[in-house]
Amino acid sequence: MDVAEVQRTLQTNVMGVIHCTQHAFKSMKERNMNGHIFIINSIAGHNVVSGIYGEIPMTNVYSPSKYALTAITEIYRREFLGLETKIKITSISPALVETELIGEQVKRLAKDRILSPHDISNAIMYALSTPPHVQIHDMIIKPLGDMF
């Protein structure tokens, strides 16, 4: 993988989340609000997504960048607690989601084993609907029959 592409992936998947989370946390803290931060992770943040066993992983630095989000989310959770806030943080880790980033060939190969963006928004709505004393830590969302 080209080093510039590695850098773009890390800037987007890791630094983008860090910057957004810091801004959201600062805003909530300044306004004395107990909000909710969602980290959009991936199943690749829990298992290295690759091709056939023994082959080079297809996603190169994508999985490590998402693994970083898994750790970062837990660090934020502990920091929020240590700062005596009641700001919730939830990591959402979907499998393949039908977005404009997914090519038609991948959509055809996935058939009915691809998530809708509505599936993810429904998960977020569920986490938002929990009472103040309940925090959903992590959600791994896969289509029925998914093998990964």
Side-chain angles (χ1 to χ4, degrees), residues 38-47 62 66-67 69-70 73 90-97 115 120 123-124 137-143:
F38 288 89
I39 305 291
I40 304 301
N41 199 335
S42 168
I43 60 165
H46 303 274
N47 283 311
Y62 182 79
K66 293 299 189 171
Y67 264 92
L69 291 185
T70 301
T73 302
T90 300
S91 175
I92 306 284
S93 298
L96 188 63
V97 179
L115 297 167
I120 310 312
I124 291 170
H137 279 221
D138 298 289
M139 281 191 195
I140 295 175
I141 307 169
K142 297 181 178 186

Side-chain angles (χ1 to χ4, degrees), residues 17-18 21 25 37-41 45-46 65-83 85 87-93 135-139:
V17 168
I18 289 171
T21 303
F25 179 83
I37 293 174
F38 288 89
I39 305 291
I40 304 301
N41 199 335
H46 303 274
S65 73
K66 293 299 189 171
Y67 264 92
L69 291 185
T70 301
I72 288 167
T73 302
E74 186 55 34
I75 287 168
Y76 279 141
R77 189 174 289 120
R78 293 174 188 194
E79 286 180 356
F80 295 176
L81 179 64
L83 292 169
T85 73
I87 297 172
K88 297 179 183 185
I89 187 164
T90 300
S91 175
I92 306 284
S93 298
Q135 175 173 251
I136 305 296
H137 279 221
D138 298 289
M139 281 191 195

